[in-house]
């Protein structure tokens, strides 16, 4: 799933040591707001797990981003909690045409079309036909 918007909050990072493996972990949470939804903007709090991913994504306050994420739920003491974990973050303006070097502009070579978008998630699922007719 994807969500595009502007980073409006960066929450304090949390870190610790895994009880099972003894490995250190770090998680950073961010709040993103969809500014295109009109009078009542949608907001989402998502997390980035791992100091390497936190550094790689380099999310700053006010960044316009498209966040690809997975949602998972887990139970603790008879209550359920959702977790929204980002696995890819792109700058919202990254879809702009790439800059062309001045020496290639005069070559007259045709510009290739953009790469096709990935197939929607509903196409990659089960091949079973669930239609009742």
């Amino acid at each position: 799933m994807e969500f595009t918007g502007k980073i409006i909050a960066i929450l304090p990072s949390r870190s610790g040591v895994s009880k099972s493996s003894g490995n250190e972990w770090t998680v950073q949470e961010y709040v993103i707001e969809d500014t295109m939804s009109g009078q009542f903007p949608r907001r989402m709090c998502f997390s980035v797990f791992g100091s390497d991913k936190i550094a790689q994504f380099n999310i700053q306050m006010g960044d316009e981003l498209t966040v690809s994420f997975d949602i998972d739920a887990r139970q603790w003491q008879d209550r359920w909690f959702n977790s929204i974990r980002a696995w890819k973050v792109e700058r919202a303006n990254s879809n702009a045409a790439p800059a062309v070097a001045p020496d290639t502009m005069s070559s007259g070579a045709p510009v290739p079309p953009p790469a096709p978008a990935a197939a929607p998630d509903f196409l990659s699922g089960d091949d079973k036909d669930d239609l009742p007719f």
Side-chain angles (χ1 to χ4, degrees):
M1 291 184 237
E2 288 185 347
F3 192 98
T4 300
K6 181 178 180 179
I7 297 296
I8 61 168
I10 300 174
L11 305 178
S13 65
R14 295 176 295 160
S15 59
V17 177
S18 170
K19 290 180 184 177
S20 60
S21 66
N23 295 332
E24 290 186 28
W25 57 267
T26 303
V27 65
Q28 179 74 56
E29 292 181 316
Y30 305 88
V31 179
I32 189 169
E33 180 178 69
D34 174 16
T35 55
M36 302 302 291
S37 59
Q39 182 180 359
F40 303 104
R42 297 179 305 149
R43 295 180 184 107
M44 178 180 75
C45 181
F46 68 94
S47 62
V48 176
F49 190 82
S51 56
D52 57 334
K53 288 287 186 192
I54 295 168
Q56 175 188 351
F57 294 158
N58 190 26
I59 299 171
Q60 303 296 318
M61 187 70 121
D63 282 353
E64 293 278 342
L65 304 173
T66 298
V67 179
S68 299
F69 59 92
D70 290 326
I71 299 175
D72 192 22
R74 56 190 185 285
Q75 186 178 16
W76 183 70
Q77 294 184 353
D78 295 329
R79 295 191 62 189
W80 286 88
F81 298 90
N82 290 321
S83 122
I84 301 173
R85 187 173 291 180
W87 53 271
K88 181 171 80 170
V89 173
E90 296 176 314
R91 303 292 179 240
N93 61 359
S94 67
N95 293 338
V100 178
D103 60 317
T104 60
M105 292 173 70
S106 61
S107 67
V111 177
D121 290 335
F122 63 86
L123 294 178
S124 62
D126 193 5
D127 289 338
K128 180 182 167 196
D129 186 4
D130 291 333
L131 296 175
F133 48 88

